[in-house]
Amino acid sequence: EEEEEEGLGLLSEPLTDGQRQELDLCMARVDNILVGKYKKAQLVSVQSNSGTMAPGKQLWTKAKELAKSMPKQLTELGPFELGSVSLEAIGFVKEMATPQYSISLDATPLACLSAYPTLGRYGCISPWDAITLEGGARERAGIPRDATFFAWAFPLPGIADIEDAAELLKAATPAELNGLSFVINGGFIYANNGFLPVAINAVVGLKAFYRGTSAKPLPAMTLPFDGPHKLPPAMRAKLESGNRFMGPTLPQMIKDGITGFTWVEPSDGGLKDHQSVDWRTGGFVYVYDDRRLDCFFRVSKE
């Protein structure tokens, strides 16, 4: 028992660089074994028929199920489809002393969320930053003319526990959809020169995390992204040291193995020393337990 407790204690300590390399090698070997078994099972199944070699088919089925449960790097993020949200309609308040916002679940567009008592009422907001999109890109993103600054509003805490979040969006009326989308998917807040919020654009279309489903179509305001790009390990360390990552907020993110994500604003001073990445339009970073899958997507200027 003492040896077992000692072993558990070692696992709780940070890994050294050498241990991390050994772990990466082990994971690579496991990946190769799984891929080999999958290919072998697939070959056996193709060569067999429905009446014979049932074990081969069973192995193939198990291999496919295992492959589905393995972490998957995002292959695309957008374009986001955006929809305008009335600040008053959802009881939106930007907290002055903290980087947070609050909403009212008593508001009509959000009434269906009152059935989820674990859902928070306060969400996090990134630091304000100057709007960098111009011309057609700014117009397509639906950025108001009187807006000078913007921030990303993260979804409310507890959204990941709502398994039927996609169904809530599908069942929403046109009057409810944008407000619900803001709470479930997040959105961009726009402010004037005095940092007073003047508009919210919610993400109403997020196909990367709602596979096989879609929100009701709305007039298109879109925000495209380029990527995925590999995230430099030093950049992840920088973001982690600043406690920048939020846990996955949607069930599909959890299924894909995403352990955290964040928004990096265009003028993020904390990343200025990483000249290999241009953040002038801002972007989203996604991280995994398997650091080889870490990636980011930048807002496209096109």
Side-chain angles (χ1 to χ4, degrees):
E1 292 183 359
E2 291 181 358
E3 291 181 358
E4 183 178 354
E5 291 180 358
E6 182 179 355
L8 291 174
L10 288 173
L11 287 175
S12 65
E13 297 177 1
L15 295 177
T16 64
D17 290 342
Q19 290 172 328
R20 172 63 64 183
Q21 290 177 357
E22 290 181 8
L23 180 59
D24 287 343
L25 287 174
C26 289
M27 292 178 66
R29 293 191 188 103
V30 171
D31 287 347
N32 289 334
I33 292 172
L34 290 174
V35 170
K37 286 185 177 294
Y38 178 85
K39 290 182 177 179
K40 182 178 179 181
Q42 188 177 26
L43 178 62
V44 170
S45 182
V46 169
Q47 293 175 342
S48 67
N49 56 51
S50 59
T52 60
M53 301 187 72
K57 288 192 173 183
Q58 292 175 3
L59 180 58
W60 186 19
T61 300
K62 290 181 179 179
K64 287 195 295 183
E65 291 176 353
L66 183 59
K68 288 181 180 179
S69 66
M70 295 178 67
K72 304 175 183 65
Q73 185 188 63
L74 286 176
T75 58
E76 61 178 347
L77 186 60
F80 284 177
E81 296 178 24
L82 306 172
S84 298
V85 179
S86 166
L87 282 71
E88 294 78 13
I90 62 172
F92 176 88
V93 175
K94 168 66 176 73
E95 302 296 317
M96 300 303 294
T98 60
Q100 290 182 308
Y101 69 89
S102 63
I103 50 89
S104 172
L105 295 188
D106 295 328
T108 301
L110 308 179
C112 65
L113 296 177
S114 60
Y116 303 92
T118 60
L119 192 61
R121 304 301 194 267
Y122 292 84
C124 295
I125 297 178
S126 71
W128 291 114
D129 208 343
I131 295 170
T132 55
L133 291 182
E134 300 176 344
R138 176 173 177 141
E139 184 177 350
R140 283 190 296 274
I143 300 175
R145 292 184 178 180
D146 58 342
T148 305
F149 301 98
F150 80 105
W152 166 255
F154 288 87
L156 285 183
I159 286 296
D161 297 328
I162 302 179
E163 287 288 342
D164 59 346
E167 296 302 318
L168 290 178
L169 293 178
K170 289 178 66 177
T173 66
E176 297 170 335
L177 180 57
N178 290 5
L180 275 177
S181 295
F182 175 72
V183 169
I184 293 174
N185 297 331
F188 292 96
I189 305 170
Y190 296 98
N192 59 20
N193 285 329
F195 294 98
L196 294 177
V198 296
I200 294 175
N201 284 346
V203 179
V204 297
L206 195 57
K207 63 180 180 180
F209 300 119
Y210 292 132
R211 293 163 196 162
T213 65
S214 61
K216 295 178 180 178
L218 290 176
M221 292 192 297
T222 59
L223 189 66
F225 294 83
D226 61 57
H229 304 284
K230 182 175 177 57
L231 183 72
M235 188 174 294
R236 170 169 175 161
K238 190 80 172 181
L239 291 168
E240 286 179 329
S241 66
N243 197 28
R244 295 283 297 275
F245 289 110
M246 173 172 283
T249 54
L250 296 172
Q252 188 61 50
M253 295 173 74
I254 297 174
K255 293 177 183 177
D256 286 348
I258 294 171
T259 57
F261 79 106
T262 192
W263 163 260
V264 177
E265 58 272 16
S267 64
D268 194 318
L271 299 177
K272 288 292 186 183
D273 52 333
H274 298 285
Q275 298 298 327
S276 60
V277 178
D278 179 4
W279 289 110
R280 283 179 291 179
T281 53
F284 287 97
V285 174
Y286 296 89
V287 294
Y288 303 74
D289 282 335
D290 183 349
R291 296 176 179 236
R292 295 170 299 176
L293 302 180
D294 292 351
C295 60
F296 66 90
F297 296 80
R298 287 177 302 208
V299 174
S300 175
K301 302 175 185 178
E302 302 300 327

